[in-house]
Amino acid sequence: MSIFSRKLGRNPFKSSGSTDAAGSTDAADEPKQSMSAKAKAAASAAGDKARRLSATASQKARDARHSITGSKLDPNAPARVGFVGVSRDRKLVAHAQDDEDPRISERTASLARKIAQRADPPGWDDIADTTRKNEGLRAIKLPVCDLDGTTAYVVAFGMGYPVEKAQALCERLALMLGPMVDLDLEDAKSQGRTRCTPDGATRLREVLERELRDANSSAQLQQVANQVEAVREIMERNVEMLLDRGEKLDALNDKADELHGATKAFRQQARKLKRWHLMNQVKWGVAVGTLVTASVAIPIAVLAAA
């Protein structure tokens, strides 16, 4: 290999034709590599977008669940379940309604229909009606999505009924009625229908009525438990008020002791000041008396001597 060839970085044993062929092959591979890089970048961007959407949906679901479980029980509100239902694509398929408590009968039905018609979130949905004092109502919805649509399970109840129990009832309805709804939808498709069949709706209604009765069977006990809870809260407030009153009395006693000490010190200081004034008066009296006596006695002594 010559020095000239070593400087140019070429193999002197290769022909110029082979060098040109390799250069043309590299030039042909460059567009393929750039297209592959663009495809990878597009796939990565799509994956990032899907992960962001999934994270947003999960956060919404967590927020919805937190808003339900974090609600406070109202001991004065009705402690009954007034409405349970199943909806398909935001239309009620079957429902059961409690007519024993007139305070919540129609209002829970209206609230349940309202939440059933709302767009299905990626998690629990929850609305409330607090327009009447001591008669607050809530409604929760659990949507379950499939390839053909969304089946939602709705429970409406008074705010005196624990939200945890209502949520458990809603989940139990989803577990029990989900397979029944799927089978009935398959039968409806075979018949050319888009919704559940009348027989399927009847079977769903029977299950809903039974679950509604079971949920309300312990309503009286729940009402008593709510009253006990209210009495306990009142007693706790009374205890806190008594403790606060005791602390205020202790503080007042401390202030009275401080005032008594200050009064005693003032009395002692006033006694000292009064003694000082009296001693001054005695001193001045003695001095004046001595002066007067001297002024009278001296002339008399002079006259007597003369």
Side-chain angles (χ1 to χ4, degrees):
M1 182 181 295
S2 64
I3 298 174
F4 181 74
S5 300
R6 192 181 301 114
K7 288 182 179 179
L8 292 178
R10 292 197 302 264
N11 190 350
F13 300 102
K14 285 187 178 181
S15 63
S16 60
S18 61
T19 304
D20 295 340
S24 62
T25 303
D26 294 340
D29 290 341
E30 288 180 356
K32 294 182 180 180
Q33 294 177 356
S34 62
M35 291 177 63
S36 177
K38 290 181 180 179
K40 290 181 179 179
S44 177
D48 293 340
K49 184 176 181 181
R51 283 192 292 272
R52 287 196 300 270
L53 291 175
S54 177
T56 303
S58 300
Q59 184 63 38
K60 289 182 178 179
R62 287 193 296 269
D63 293 342
R65 187 178 182 89
H66 178 71
S67 65
I68 294 175
T69 57
S71 58
K72 187 176 180 181
L73 187 68
D74 185 1
N76 299 319
R80 295 183 65 86
V81 178
F83 189 97
V84 291
V86 181
S87 65
R88 179 69 181 179
D89 295 333
R90 294 189 287 177
K91 294 182 180 179
L92 281 175
V93 176
H95 69 274
Q97 185 174 341
D98 179 39
D99 297 328
E100 293 187 10
D101 194 341
R103 295 183 299 170
I104 65 173
S105 178
E106 295 298 330
R107 293 175 58 218
T108 50
S110 176
L111 194 64
R113 290 187 174 92
K114 182 179 179 180
I115 195 174
Q117 294 173 0
R118 293 187 1 163
D120 297 320
W124 289 93
D125 195 6
D126 176 29
I127 59 175
D129 179 9
T130 57
T131 55
R132 298 184 184 181
K133 187 177 180 180
N134 297 332
E135 295 183 9
L137 302 178
R138 298 182 71 90
I140 60 175
K141 179 174 69 171
L142 176 61
V144 179
C145 301
D146 53 39
L147 296 177
D148 297 327
T150 304
T151 303
Y153 304 89
V154 180
V155 176
F157 52 96
M159 285 189 175
Y161 192 83
V163 182
E164 293 79 7
K165 289 187 176 181
Q167 193 172 357
L169 173 61
C170 204
E171 293 173 345
R172 187 165 64 251
L173 291 177
L175 291 175
M176 289 191 305
L177 301 182
M180 296 175 62
V181 173
D182 294 339
L183 291 175
D184 191 66
L185 288 175
E186 291 180 0
D187 294 339
K189 284 183 180 180
S190 63
Q191 299 176 9
R193 296 174 176 268
T194 57
R195 298 182 60 184
C196 292
T197 62
D199 294 338
T202 302
R203 290 191 295 269
L204 294 175
R205 189 180 303 110
E206 292 175 355
V207 177
L208 292 173
E209 289 175 351
R210 185 185 69 242
E211 291 299 320
L212 181 61
R213 287 193 302 269
D214 294 342
N216 287 330
S217 61
S218 60
Q220 190 68 26
L221 294 177
Q222 185 61 44
Q223 190 72 27
V224 173
N226 293 343
Q227 293 175 359
V228 171
E229 182 68 19
V231 172
R232 187 182 65 83
E233 292 179 357
I234 294 173
M235 293 179 65
E236 288 181 353
R237 287 198 299 268
N238 292 338
V239 170
E240 292 296 330
M241 291 173 63
L242 288 174
L243 293 176
D244 293 340
R245 182 174 178 272
E247 292 177 357
K248 291 179 180 179
L249 288 176
D250 293 338
L252 186 60
N253 290 331
D254 294 339
K255 291 182 179 179
D257 294 338
E258 293 177 0
L259 184 60
H260 179 70
T263 304
K264 186 177 180 180
F266 177 77
R267 187 182 296 113
Q268 292 175 355
Q269 190 68 24
R271 186 180 180 86
K272 291 180 181 180
L273 185 61
K274 189 175 181 180
R275 183 184 297 113
W276 183 78
H277 281 293
L278 291 175
M279 292 301 296
N280 284 340
Q281 290 178 3
V282 170
K283 290 177 181 179
W284 281 103
V286 171
V288 171
T290 303
L291 183 61
V292 170
T293 302
S295 63
V296 172
I298 291 174
I300 293 174
V302 171
L303 291 175

